[in-house]
Amino acid sequence: MDTNRSFLQIHPNDNVLVALRDLPRGMEIDFQGERFALIGGVKAKHKFTIEPLAAGGDVYMYGVLVGRTNAALGKGETLTTRNIHHAAEAFELGERRLEWRRPDVSAFEEEVFLGYHRANGTVGTANYWLVIPLVFCENRNVLVMKSALEEQLGYGKRSRDYEPEVEQLIRLYEAGGTVTDILNADIAAEPEQDDGRPLFEHVDGIKFLNHQMGCGGTRIDSDALCGLLAGYITHPNVAGATVLSLGCQHAQASILRDEIAKRDPQFDKPLYVFEQQLVGTETELLQQALKHTFAGLVQANALRRQPAPLSKLCIGLECGGSDGFSGISANPALGYVSDMLVALGGSVILSEFPELCGVEQELSDRCVDEEMALRFMALMKTYNERAEADGSGFYANPSPGNIRDGLITDAIKSAGAAKKGGTSPVTAVVDYPGVANKPGLNLLCTPGNDVESTTAEVGAGANVVLFTTGLGTPTGNPIAPVIKLATNTKLFGRMPDIIDINCGTIIEGEETIEQVAHRILRYVIDVASGNAQPKAVQLGQDDFIPWRRGVSL
């Protein structure tokens, strides 16, 4: 990278620079011995040209094609959605390029984390019990069980409630307060502290999942739901599960059991399945489910954390609310963490296929064999074709927030997002909702939607998720800790309640990518050992959205 702390050239072949701070109109740019003035002001995270471009000219960032001009652009002109549009290189089966920049991992070779060892050889970073509906008809019964069990067993609200604030507003209204009085009222209240311990001290919690699937849609979607739920039940962070079924839905308990067997042929965790149409009354259903769940918690509480090598970590790589700094701070830092974990024998999962548009050639060339490369290319082509058939191809992926903060084409967004995957060879290409925990870099076909993708990564085996954000994204997962990383220091200071790690120090020149990566991995070890809780866990952000296999970017 070529940078002077005001702007940066990411790759020597790029014909645009990234503004690292707001640059005023007319500012003199001194780059590689040439001087030119900015035609207009350039906001931080946005890009400007370093050479004149003809109409239809190619725009390069990260060394790859990321767009084409709509009209001729002068040197020093700001890129916008009005003057460029998405473009990406075509891709084809190429030669295997398996050499990679293996990092020095000597500082971590003897490190271990304290995890929950399962009979199938996997190791959990947490120990949860699951209560799952096979169909949306059972959502209410799951919530009834949540109401009956959660606080009684000491798994109360992890985040503060706002009842004291509402009580203050009620008193103000009853005292004759006006709308203006209410809007101007200072209602800040100290959050209540819960110092009590749960009854089952070695169970991190009971997670009650809800969803809107299981019947009424396609059989493909209901089968995929069973596969996803099987991934959660067999997950190393899960001790056992209670499943509520209605009985007549597409997502049958027999399909769920088959999916469990595919993932873990010797499955031996407690699993209790109750079918309401067979049991009879709702009261009988819930009483049986409560008794068996309580008995399962007793068994789960017998487990203890034990040392495990870092090779037992499977890290999901995610980004959401990305900005123009994502691809030059937090995402490359995750890429370095990915390479370190691969060098240590661990697994990483790179997903969000709409956000790999434009880097298909590089990733397919990194696949360890041609069959795997062809599978990846086929998944990318099929996904984009389905999106275009519905009137919205990969080109429509960037959100208004992305665009506002410098990611103005899907290829710009994708080239930066792919940096999370580091440089190691691709050892597996997996379609949703499969298992993607093979040692090395796994590619998992998911949408770019943050929660759908995170839900899928955890179902595929991720026992920790690293989630980068440039705008701020309050999301988590029910069973796997989600660690949030800010791409810029302003965000870290503005939203400290949801962000765990600041990677903005890379932009400011205070730390290198390698130094931040080491800091991230140290924190991952603490989280995996139960010694630290990410903000998403503290806030109880248990987001769970299965992917309907339609178009979701």
Side-chain angles (χ1 to χ4, degrees), residues 481-500:
V482 176
I483 299 169
K484 295 286 179 49
L485 304 99
T487 71
N488 62 87
T489 301
K490 285 184 178 180
L491 171 64
F492 184 70
R494 188 171 66 252
M495 304 182 77
D497 57 329
I498 67 168
I499 305 292
D500 301 291

Side-chain angles (χ1 to χ4, degrees), residues 346-402:
S347 310
V348 291
I349 303 174
L350 180 65
S351 59
E352 300 177 288
F353 273 28
E355 297 177 11
L356 300 179
C357 176
V359 293
E360 295 97 336
Q361 192 66 60
E362 178 204 341
L363 288 172
S364 62
D365 290 349
R366 285 166 57 186
C367 291
V368 294
D369 57 48
E370 290 188 355
E371 180 182 357
M372 194 177 297
L374 290 169
R375 185 183 314 136
F376 170 64
M377 291 189 292
L379 285 169
M380 289 294 292
K381 289 177 179 176
T382 301
Y383 197 156
N384 190 43
E385 287 169 359
R386 287 178 179 173
E388 289 185 340
D390 279 5
S392 185
F394 287 169
Y395 63 85
N397 177 263
S399 70
N402 296 150

Side-chain angles (χ1 to χ4, degrees), residues 103-112 310 336 340 344 514 518-519 521-522 525:
D104 178 8
V105 293
S106 57
F108 293 91
E109 285 178 331
E110 302 302 320
E111 291 279 353
V112 298
L310 299 189
Y336 201 98
M340 283 197 294
L344 291 164
E514 179 180 353
H518 277 243
R519 185 156 53 88
L521 187 52
R522 290 287 177 196
I525 294 170

Side-chain angles (χ1 to χ4, degrees), residues 75-94:
K75 182 187 292 189
E77 191 146 354
T78 307
L79 300 187
T80 71
T81 54
R82 294 184 299 276
N83 58 31
I84 75 166
H85 61 273
H86 166 80
E89 296 283 7
F91 54 93
E92 60 185 13
L93 184 64

Side-chain angles (χ1 to χ4, degrees), residues 168-189:
Q168 291 178 51
L169 293 173
I170 291 171
R171 288 196 296 270
L172 180 58
Y173 172 72
E174 291 177 338
T178 66
V179 169
T180 300
D181 294 332
I182 290 169
L183 293 175
N184 292 330
D186 181 5
I187 60 169

Side-chain angles (χ1 to χ4, degrees), residues 224-261:
L225 173 67
C226 288
L228 178 69
L229 296 180
Y232 274 68
I233 292 169
T234 58
H235 195 281
N237 289 7
V238 171
T242 302
V243 178
L244 300 187
S245 169
L246 180 60
C248 57
Q249 72 276 354
H250 288 333
Q252 289 285 297
S254 59
I255 300 174
L256 176 67
R257 292 185 186 279
D258 288 344
E259 291 291 338
I260 290 172

Side-chain angles (χ1 to χ4, degrees), residues 158-162 164-165 188-194:
R158 287 187 179 269
S159 60
R160 63 169 293 183
D161 61 46
Y162 289 85
E165 283 90 338
E190 289 294 324
E192 295 182 6
Q193 299 296 320
D194 182 9

